[in-house]
Amino acid sequence: MEESSAQRRLETVQSHLLHGGDDRSLRLEPNFTASLQFVNSHTYSVSLPEKLQTGKWNVYRSVRSPLKLMSRFPDHPEIGTLHDNFQHAVENYRDYKYLGTRIRQDGKIGDYMWMTYGEAATAREAIGSGLRYNGLDKGACIGTYFVNRPEWLIVDHACAAYSYISVPLYDTLGPDAVKFVVNHADVQAIFCNPATLNTLLTFVSEIPSVRLIVVVGGVDENLPSLPSSGVKLISYLKLIGEGRSSLQPFIPPRPEDVATICYTSGTTGTPKGVVLTHGNLIASVAGSSLSIKFNSSDIYISYLPLAHIYERTNQISAVYYGVAVGFYQGDSLKLMDDLAALRPTIFCSVPRLYNRIYDGITAAVKTSGALKEKLFNAAFNSKKQALMSGRTPSPMWDRLVFNKIKAKLGGRVRLMGSGASPLSPDVMDFLRVCFGCQVLEGYGMTETSCIISIMDEGDYLSGHVGSPNPACEVKLVDVPEMNYTSQDQPYPRGEICARGPTIFQGYYKDQTQTREVIDEDGWLHTGDIGLWLDGGRLKIIDRKKNIFKLAQGEYIAPEKIENVYTKSRFVGQCFIYGDSFNSSLVAIVSVDPDVLTEWATSQGIKADDLGQLCKDPRARAAVLADMDSIGREAQLRGFEFAKAITLVPEPFTLENGLLTPTFKIKRPQAKDCFAKAITDMYDELSASDHQTPTSKL
């Protein structure tokens, strides 16, 4: 009886999925989302029952591949590993430009010089052979500890070709974190540059697994000697020479072999090693290839950290399509100059930079004069209205206004990607209008080989992160303590969980934490709260992790509130604090110095000392008033408003230990750093008869 019932239900599922013809025009009428029934003009994902025996249709898959989770590229199913992927590129794009850098001549930085795919393949073989020459066996962990440049990718390709495991190290990590990762992963060889070599040398005697240190950009004659350390120290060029003199055959990996251990920076505790296989990474990129396609004529600029999974998967996609990758100089202050020289067609970034672009353009418009400001607003509104209604905007607006803005990124960008944190809908729409290109936002994490969901090309609705990657399935799980359930109206809400061939193998040497995030059915619990919009598009609305309770029992998700307050023109960064001993929130605000100084000048307040200005009660009152206004617009609940603020002139940075390399606030460290200010704010609030918005240094 059970078997026949299950069989009937399976047939129902298949009928449900196949209704509507080919996968690109699939229409599900009706499509059930928990108890919600709706009919869509566009469907981006389909709902399925998690188990045949239950009635809940709560699992979502991409409409592009509803019957099977993708694990390979549809056009090239033979590509199962990173090595296969690069071999495919070498065979098809051997003489195409691949890796570009700007060469300094006569003290001046010049144009981009290029290495072809074929030349990169030759260097890859030499590096891999050099590692074999130095006695490193298959499966050894190889660390990369330097900023983006061609050698980073060549080393990574060598690791794939000779079955080594790459262990990226953020070049901004402090000595303690680097030492921990190297020892935890038993790294045997480290590629570094002269700057990071100096860091390594401070604790070289404390990393006993390391046998070889290779200095990229170093000269052998200038390298220090390491007597009796047991560590061989050589230049990158010398390793290439050793490899060329003793070329070794490839040792191709299998899809199930570990490709990399990516250590997440972690906002608390020590870094965790995310174990990803070749199959994981190929599945993630293959799935997203159904939504976003690069071309061999595309040019991509690499400046996001290669140690981060976002940039890593972009590079895997670039290789598959034969894209040319130009590197920035290594100095973020010179990025705009590099963009002008490279003129990329693909630009991937993070909201932090996009917000700066938005702020810079809007500030320039406001100071351009009444006539130019009026022209910009007319052009912007006309073009936005055309885009949102599916019409082609008048080219007149680009000629009059927007071409000058496009030129800031080189003038050829056809695709912008955003990830790592939520991008404001206003900023997304602004970028689409000003740069006249597709702007797509994705959502993912290291543990899912990057991409959980991504927007589809042609989808102009902002404020969401698209539909599931065809390589994974997604469901929302009730979080009753935060009042998020699948029965919520008008949209189901809950913790985002993902499952499929993109999910990591576990945290390296840490089964306890692995079991905390992957349940017995194979679902990875992300800690993010989402909801399903009409058409099966995912929207991130909250964060389960880092939640805390106020004294009156209300749960607080500080990151959500921080994202709201950073929309204030005065706020560069914001740290929200609260605990179970107090009934109100307080905030540490790193101010935007230009905005605060400009405000002070307009008010006749002395503004030559930013530190003193931050202490001025009038400045604090103005900032808090603006934050309150922003909070009301975002419909924060009463207990979610910061009741007191402290203004600080210094930003939260990697260097002062308040940010992770992915620009997330390290909450315990921030709490310790601002302990006195937090205590002072609560003292003032408790001394007040009524909890009115106040501020205190």
Side-chain angles (χ1 to χ4, degrees):
M1 181 69 179
E2 287 185 4
E3 288 186 3
S4 60
S5 176
Q7 182 62 37
R8 286 197 300 273
R9 190 159 177 79
L10 179 60
E11 291 171 356
T12 300
V13 172
Q14 292 174 330
S15 174
H16 171 82
L17 292 173
L18 294 173
H19 175 66
D22 71 271
D23 64 347
R24 290 186 177 274
S25 59
L26 190 59
R27 299 289 181 268
L28 305 183
E29 299 179 355
N31 180 6
F32 290 85
T33 308
S35 62
L36 179 68
Q37 178 180 348
F38 56 83
V39 179
N40 301 301
S41 59
H42 293 286
T43 301
Y44 297 91
S45 63
V46 296
S47 55
L48 300 167
E50 182 175 357
K51 297 178 181 177
L52 292 176
Q53 289 77 17
T54 68
K56 291 183 68 176
W57 294 62
N58 63 329
V59 174
Y60 280 69
R61 290 184 177 183
S62 169
V63 73
R64 297 176 182 273
S65 185
L67 293 174
K68 182 181 179 182
L69 295 179
M70 290 184 60
S71 59
R72 301 288 179 93
F73 292 100
D75 296 336
H76 291 280
E78 73 279 4
I79 297 176
T81 67
L82 300 183
H83 175 61
D84 295 338
N85 192 45
F86 189 62
Q87 287 293 89
H88 159 80
V90 175
E91 291 168 6
N92 290 276
Y93 313 112
R94 175 174 289 276
D95 296 324
Y96 285 57
K97 293 177 180 178
Y98 177 31
L99 304 175
T101 51
R102 300 185 73 182
I103 305 300
R104 184 172 294 277
Q105 294 177 332
D106 300 326
K108 295 182 179 180
I109 195 71
D111 292 331
Y112 275 86
M113 303 291 288
W114 293 91
M115 175 183 286
T116 66
Y117 274 90
E119 289 166 342
T122 301
R124 171 242 353 213
E125 185 179 13
I127 290 295
S129 297
L131 292 173
R132 295 284 294 169
Y133 173 86
N134 280 278
L136 277 78
D137 295 325
K138 170 185 176 180
C141 286
I142 311 297
T144 45
Y145 187 31
F146 55 100
V147 74
N148 300 29
R149 53 187 291 170
E151 292 88 347
W152 205 108
L153 291 177
I154 289 170
V155 170
D156 202 45
H157 292 317
C159 287
Y162 289 87
S163 288
Y164 294 123
I165 299 170
S166 68
V167 182
L169 300 165
Y170 282 99
D171 65 298
T172 50
L173 283 179
D176 291 342
V178 173
K179 182 168 61 176
F180 171 83
V181 170
V182 170
N183 286 328
H184 190 259
D186 297 311
V187 171
Q188 295 186 36
I190 299 177
F191 288 79
C192 62
N193 61 18
T196 52
L197 172 64
N198 291 331
T199 302
L200 287 175
L201 293 180
T202 63
F203 55 82
V204 68
S205 61
E206 301 173 61
I207 46 176
S209 61
V210 175
R211 301 160 51 187
L212 178 68
I213 297 177
V214 183
V215 185
V216 177
V219 179
D220 287 280
E221 293 74 21
N222 298 334
L223 297 179
S225 59
L226 301 177
S228 68
S229 66
V231 179
K232 181 178 178 180
L233 179 62
I234 61 171
S235 71
Y236 178 85
L237 292 177
K238 185 170 183 179
L239 182 68
I240 280 190
E242 290 177 346
R244 283 176 178 163
S245 66
S246 180
L247 290 177
Q248 302 291 313
F250 295 143
I251 306 175
R254 300 167 300 175
E256 61 269 24
D257 288 341
V258 176
T260 187
I261 304 176
C262 292
Y263 280 81
T264 58
S265 47
T267 54
T268 61
T270 55
K272 294 178 291 187
V274 176
V275 179
L276 298 173
T277 65
H278 288 267
N280 287 148
L281 293 166
I282 292 298
S284 180
V285 174
S288 64
S289 72
L290 292 189
S291 302
I292 301 174
K293 297 186 186 300
F294 296 168
N295 306 306
S296 58
S297 58
D298 275 322
I299 301 173
Y300 177 96
I301 186 161
S302 177
Y303 70 98
L304 296 172
L306 275 163
H308 190 268
I309 195 66
Y310 177 24
E311 177 70 2
R312 198 90 175 275
T313 51
N314 286 343
Q315 293 297 339
I316 297 169
S317 294
V319 166
Y320 178 73
Y321 288 106
V323 173
V325 177
F327 291 86
Y328 81 132
Q329 296 175 58
D331 183 347
S332 58
L333 296 177
K334 298 177 181 177
L335 178 60
M336 301 309 292
D337 182 54
D338 293 332
L339 285 164
L342 183 64
R343 303 185 66 218
T345 60
I346 300 170
F347 182 73
C348 290
S349 192
V350 293
R352 191 181 186 195
L353 181 60
Y354 285 133
N355 290 341
R356 286 181 188 169
I357 293 173
Y358 172 85
D359 292 340
I361 295 172
T362 53
V365 169
K366 288 178 181 177
T367 58
S368 63
L371 185 61
K372 288 186 177 180
E373 183 176 3
K374 189 174 182 179
L375 175 63
F376 178 88
N377 290 333
F380 182 88
N381 292 330
S382 175
K383 189 172 179 181
K384 180 180 177 181
Q385 187 175 25
L387 288 173
M388 297 307 166
S389 60
R391 292 182 287 108
T392 301
S394 168
M396 173 184 68
W397 299 124
D398 283 346
R399 290 196 301 269
L400 288 175
V401 178
F402 298 116
N403 283 345
K404 294 178 182 177
I405 296 175
K406 292 179 185 180
K408 298 291 185 183
L409 299 183
R412 295 194 301 194
V413 173
R414 69 171 187 85
L415 173 64
M416 286 180 163
S418 182
S421 61
L423 180 65
S424 162
D426 291 341
V427 174
M428 174 175 280
D429 292 342
F430 187 86
L431 294 172
R432 284 173 170 162
V433 172
C434 290
F435 290 96
C437 65
Q438 190 78 34
V439 183
L440 302 179
E441 185 173 6
Y443 162 67
M445 54 197 301
T446 309
E447 289 85 343
T448 60
S449 310
C450 191
I451 306 164
I452 293 175
S453 67
I454 194 164
M455 297 175 70
D456 286 77
E457 289 195 58
D459 181 4
Y460 284 100
L461 178 69
S462 54
H464 66 91
V465 291
S467 58
N469 182 346
C472 73
E473 53 189 0
V474 178
K475 71 172 181 177
L476 303 182
V477 173
D478 292 353
V479 186
E481 67 269 24
M482 297 178 73
N483 296 318
Y484 293 130
T485 76
S486 59
Q487 303 304 312
D488 291 342
Q489 297 288 349
Y491 306 116
R493 303 185 298 178
E495 181 184 7
I496 299 166
C497 298
R499 183 172 66 177
T502 61
I503 305 303
F504 78 131
Q505 306 305 298
Y507 295 117
Y508 191 54
K509 299 179 182 177
D510 196 340
Q511 285 303 309
T512 300
Q513 291 203 71
T514 300
R515 285 192 292 268
E516 289 177 2
V517 297
I518 299 182
D519 65 26
E520 59 186 11
D521 293 320
W523 288 100
L524 172 75
H525 293 247
T526 66
D528 292 313
I529 305 296
L531 62 78
W532 290 115
L533 294 172
D534 289 357
R537 290 173 289 192
L538 187 64
K539 179 180 177 70
I540 312 297
I541 59 171
D542 211 337
R543 181 80 174 148
K544 183 180 178 183
K545 294 180 180 178
N546 297 326
I547 64 171
F548 54 80
K549 231 188 234 185
L550 292 176
Q552 68 271 41
E554 299 286 3
Y555 282 94
I556 297 293
E559 288 159 321
K560 180 190 80 170
I561 300 170
E562 288 160 359
N563 286 336
V564 169
Y565 282 146
T566 51
K567 294 179 182 177
S568 165
R569 63 193 181 100
F570 292 103
V571 179
Q573 295 159 296
C574 180
F575 168 59
I576 289 290
Y577 179 81
D579 56 40
S580 58
F581 301 104
N582 293 282
S583 58
S584 302
L585 298 176
V586 296
I588 305 294
V589 175
S590 171
V591 298
D592 184 311
D594 296 333
V595 174
L596 189 63
T597 301
E598 181 183 346
W599 169 85
T601 302
S602 71
Q603 300 296 311
I605 299 172
K606 190 176 181 180
D608 55 348
D609 186 330
L610 185 61
Q612 286 301 117
L613 183 58
C614 286
K615 297 177 183 179
D616 192 310
R618 293 168 293 181
R620 297 199 301 269
V623 174
L624 185 57
D626 195 61
M627 290 171 61
D628 285 344
S629 176
I630 296 292
R632 287 191 294 272
E633 287 179 14
Q635 298 183 326
L636 291 181
R637 293 171 289 180
F639 57 84
E640 291 179 313
F641 281 80
K643 301 299 184 184
I645 62 172
T646 293
L647 306 183
V648 295
E650 302 85 7
F652 310 155
T653 65
L654 294 163
E655 290 72 23
N656 62 26
L658 297 179
L659 288 187
T660 71
T662 52
F663 306 113
K664 294 181 176 67
I665 295 175
K666 291 186 173 182
R667 311 199 80 82
Q669 290 86 338
K671 176 187 173 184
D672 292 342
C673 179
F674 300 112
K676 185 180 185 306
I678 290 169
T679 300
D680 288 348
M681 285 188 283
Y682 278 124
D683 285 347
E684 179 174 314
L685 288 173
S686 64
S688 175
D689 291 333
H690 304 285
Q691 292 217 340
T692 53
T694 60
S695 59
K696 175 71 177 175
L697 180 70

